[in-house]
Amino acid sequence: MGSELIQIKVASQAGLPGTPRSSSGATGGAASFAAWGLVNERITAKGACGVGRRPGPANVDPPAGTVATAGTLKTFYLETFGCQMNVHDSEKVQGVLMARGMTPVENHHEADLVLYNTCSIREKAAQKVFSRLGVFRKGRSGAPKLIGVLGCVAQQEGERFFERAPQVSLVCGSASYSKLPELLDQLETGKQRVTGLSLLTEECFETEMTRRDNPFRAYLTIIEGCDQRCSFCVVPMTRGPERSRPSDKILAEARRLVDQGYTEIQLLGQIVNAWHDPSPARLGFAELLSRLAEVPGIRRVRFTTSHPRYFTSDIVQAIDANPNLCDQIHLPLQSGSTTVLARMLRGYTREEYLEKIHGIRKARRAISLSTDIIVGFCGETGEDFEQTLSLIKEVEYDQVFSFKYSPRPNTLAEGSRDALAEEEKGRRLTELQELQRQIQVRRNQALLGESFEVLVEGYQARLGQAVGRSTTNRVINFPGRPEDVGRYLTVKVTSAGPNSLVGARAGSADLSF
Ligand code: 5AD
C-alpha cells in the first residue's frame, strides 16, 4: 500500500504529501481465522475476483424519485481520500472528465457531478464517504445533479451502495475507470444508476490527459492491483489483480513529464517492486529505476510502496549508481514478530526483514528508512508486541506510520476469534508512537549543522517561511521568499523537532543538472 494517507480536494494545490496519518480500529467478529500458518501465495486474476465483490449488472433501478436525471454534465467536484495511488487515480479521472468537456469546480454546491474517491484500508477511512454523503440526503436543496462514488469503498460495497445511499447514481472501482466515459454517457442519456465493478482486467488505467495537482512531484503509476494475500488487507479485493505497465510507456510518460517541467517523479504501485516488464524488453524493477534515472532532466526519482519480499539488492545498487534515485525507502514491516508475520501471510520472517535492512544500510549514501506497522493484529501477544518495539529500536526508522488493526470485509483475518480489545490496541499504539517520537528527535538532532539540497514546495507569507523537502523526504522550514518555490536550494539545519527541521539558506543548489 501507499505510504502517506492524505486527503485532497479537486482544484486545490493541496496534494502535497506529508499530512499526518491517523490510526483507527474496530472490533472483530467471532469466527476463527482458518488461515493461520498458510504460506503467502500469489493469487491469479480469477482468485482475486473470487474473494472480491463480483461484478453486477450495470444498471439497477432505484425507487422512483430518489435520484435526478443527469442531462448534460458540465461541472464536477472531486474529493479524494486515501493513499497516493488514489490521489493519482483522481488526477487521471479529472483528465478523463476534462477531456469530455467538463470543468472542475472548487466546491460541491457548484457541481453537476460530485465524485468521492474513497479508501477502505481501515474502517474509519471507509466511513468518511458516508458522512460526506449525509449532506446530500433525498429532498435536500442544493444537491448536485449526480453523485458518484469511486475507489475502494465503491468496489467493496458494490450495488449495496445504492441501498445505503440512494442519492448515489454511479459506483465504480478503480479497475473499471477506463469505462467512466461510457458510464457517464449512460447517465446523461437517462440511466438512473450505473456501476463499474468488474475486476477482470489485465489493463492499467491509461489516460490521454491527466490533471496534475502537485506542481513539483509527478506521480507515475507503474503497476496496479495486488496479488498478495496479506490476511489483514482489503486491497486485492478492491483494486483487483496485479498488472504492470510496459517499460516503454513508463519511460515515455517520464519524458513527457520532463517536457511539462517536472524534475521529480514518484513511481507508484501497491507493491511497486513487484513490477515486471510485460514488454519484450523484459526489464527488472532495478533496471527500470536506472533507465528512469538516465532520462535527461529528471533530478529526483522516488518509489512507493516496496514489499520486503521483493526487495532485492539490485535496487540498492541502482540507488548507489544513480545520484538522482532518492536515498529514501519505505519498507512496510507490519510486525516485528515472526509468528504474527506468518499469520499476516507476509512471506518473510523478522530475520529476513532485518537482512534486507542491513543491505540497505550498507549503501554508499545513508538511505532514509520509513515503515508501516499494524499493532494489535489478532492474537498479537505482549511478547509479539515487544518484538516489534525491539525491531524499531534496532532499525531506528526515520518515520513510522502506525495503525491499530482494523478488521476488513472479505479478508482472511476478518472475524478472527483472537481479536484484541480496542483499549489494548490503543495502549500499544501510544507506546510505539512514543518510542518512535524519541528516535525521530534523536535522529533529527543529529542533523544539526548539516546542509542539504531541498526542492522548495511552498511559502507561508504570514511567517516568511519557505518549506522544502530533501531527497531523504525530510521537511525543512527556513526563512525564504515566494520566488523560492519550485527551486532547488541548499539549506543548513539549525534546529530539529521530531517531525520536521528548521534551517537557514546556505546557497543555491546547482540548477544545471
Ligand atoms: N488495519 C490496520 N492497518 C492496515 N493497513 C492495511 N490494512 C490494515 C488494516 N486492516 C496498513 C498497513 C499498510 C498501510 C497502508 O495500512 O500498515 O501498509
Side-chain angles (χ1 to χ4, degrees), residues 54-295:
R54 294 210 170 271
N59 191 8
V60 189
D61 283 334
T66 45
V67 285
T69 317
T72 307
L73 298 166
K74 294 200 179 102
T75 53
F76 71 93
Y77 169 82
L78 171 58
E79 189 172 343
T80 306
F81 304 96
C83 62
Q84 286 142 322
M85 288 290 286
N86 263 13
V87 170
H88 187 42
D89 280 347
S90 286
E91 291 181 333
K92 291 196 272 187
V93 166
Q94 287 174 61
V96 166
L97 300 184
M98 289 164 80
R100 208 177 172 267
M102 296 177 72
T103 311
V105 291
E106 288 282 345
N107 68 64
H108 61 75
H109 303 292
E110 300 159 25
D112 293 336
L113 172 68
V114 169
L115 290 172
Y116 294 107
N117 190 0
T118 59
C119 168
S120 67
I121 195 85
R122 285 168 292 276
E123 180 60 23
K124 229 186 203 168
Q127 284 312 322
K128 279 191 184 153
V129 63
F130 293 104
S131 65
R132 283 292 191 283
L133 289 170
V135 179
F136 304 121
R137 272 199 213 97
K138 202 174 98 185
R140 289 228 184 143
S141 62
K145 278 189 190 168
L146 279 186
I147 303 170
V149 183
L150 309 176
C152 293
V153 183
Q155 188 70 48
Q156 182 188 297
E157 294 294 308
E159 281 151 26
R160 266 183 312 189
F161 221 112
F162 298 129
E163 289 157 35
R164 286 186 75 175
Q167 61 276 53
V168 168
S169 303
L170 168 113
V171 176
C172 184
S174 64
S176 304
Y177 287 163
S178 45
K179 298 211 178 65
L180 272 174
E182 198 185 304
L183 295 175
L184 291 174
D185 287 349
Q186 288 174 10
L187 288 169
E188 281 186 334
T189 52
K191 275 206 176 171
Q192 300 270 291
R193 283 175 172 173
V194 294
T195 58
L197 294 170
S198 174
L199 290 173
L200 293 169
T201 179
E202 288 175 9
E203 282 169 11
C204 292
F205 179 33
E206 301 286 346
T207 52
E208 293 290 312
M209 185 173 155
T210 299
R211 182 203 148 111
R212 295 185 180 272
D213 285 309
N214 187 325
F216 311 111
R217 182 184 309 167
Y219 292 135
L220 200 171
T221 304
I222 66 165
I223 177 169
E224 289 181 13
C226 181
D227 283 356
Q228 304 296 307
R229 274 174 95 171
C230 299
S231 57
F232 54 82
C233 189
V234 79
V235 168
M237 279 69 83
T238 58
R239 286 192 163 266
E242 200 177 274
R243 52 246 182 237
S244 291
R245 279 177 88 194
S247 53
D248 51 344
K249 277 199 175 163
I250 296 170
L251 289 161
E253 185 170 344
R255 285 186 215 105
R256 272 200 309 276
L257 289 168
V258 172
D259 290 344
Q260 288 166 20
Y262 283 99
T263 55
E264 176 169 334
I265 60 172
Q266 177 154 358
L267 309 182
L268 294 181
Q270 297 300 328
I271 299 189
V272 75
N273 57 334
W275 179 84
H276 48 275
D277 194 354
S279 81
R282 292 273 175 261
L283 300 185
F285 177 65
E287 286 172 304
L288 177 70
L289 288 178
S290 301
R291 293 286 181 90
L292 284 162
E294 284 159 16
V295 172

Side-chain angles (χ1 to χ4, degrees), residues 20-53:
R21 310 202 300 184
S22 61
S23 61
S24 66
T27 41
S32 74
F33 179 9
W36 278 172
L38 279 183
V39 286
N40 198 357
E41 58 186 19
R42 293 167 80 78
I43 50 178
T44 60
K46 213 167 157 218
C49 294
V51 284
R53 172 150 282 278

Side-chain angles (χ1 to χ4, degrees), residues 1-2 5 21 24 121-122 232-234 332 334 372-374 401 403-408:
M1 255 312 289
L5 291 193
R21 310 202 300 184
S24 66
I121 195 85
R122 285 168 292 276
F232 54 82
C233 189
V234 79
Q334 310 304 359
D372 290 346
I373 292 178
I374 298 177
F401 300 100
F403 313 96
K404 288 195 278 181
Y405 170 61
S406 165
R408 306 308 300 131

Side-chain angles (χ1 to χ4, degrees), residues 271-419:
I271 299 189
V272 75
N273 57 334
W275 179 84
H276 48 275
D277 194 354
S279 81
R282 292 273 175 261
L283 300 185
F285 177 65
E287 286 172 304
L288 177 70
L289 288 178
S290 301
R291 293 286 181 90
L292 284 162
E294 284 159 16
V295 172
I298 291 187
R299 270 179 96 126
R300 291 181 172 188
V301 180
R302 302 182 195 273
F303 54 92
T304 197
T305 292
S306 297
H307 192 297
R309 209 174 166 195
Y310 306 103
F311 199 90
T312 43
S313 54
D314 55 353
I315 300 174
V316 178
Q317 283 156 17
I319 295 175
D320 271 347
N322 297 282
N324 54 351
L325 296 181
C326 285
D327 37 3
Q328 174 215 349
I329 291 169
H330 183 72
L331 200 63
L333 166 69
Q334 310 304 359
S335 169
S337 152
T338 295
T339 320
V340 174
L341 288 171
R343 286 196 208 123
M344 289 177 161
L345 305 183
R346 288 290 288 172
Y348 54 86
T349 62
R350 173 192 174 93
E351 289 69 31
E352 283 163 350
Y353 181 91
L354 281 171
E355 231 169 80
K356 311 258 173 180
I357 297 290
H358 293 145
I360 294 170
R361 291 283 188 230
K362 281 195 212 131
R364 288 205 197 110
R365 280 174 287 165
I367 293 179
S368 142
L369 271 167
S370 57
T371 198
D372 290 346
I373 292 178
I374 298 177
V375 301
F377 186 61
C378 318
E380 182 190 80
T381 62
E383 170 58 24
D384 291 323
F385 179 61
E386 285 303 321
Q387 298 237 338
T388 299
L389 296 180
S390 83
L391 193 145
I392 290 176
K393 282 183 201 149
E394 183 170 344
V395 175
E396 294 226 320
Y397 294 100
D398 294 287
Q399 214 175 359
V400 171
F401 300 100
S402 49
F403 313 96
K404 288 195 278 181
Y405 170 61
S406 165
R408 306 308 300 131
N410 301 323
T411 55
L412 285 166
E414 186 196 12
S416 164
R417 272 205 213 103
D418 306 324

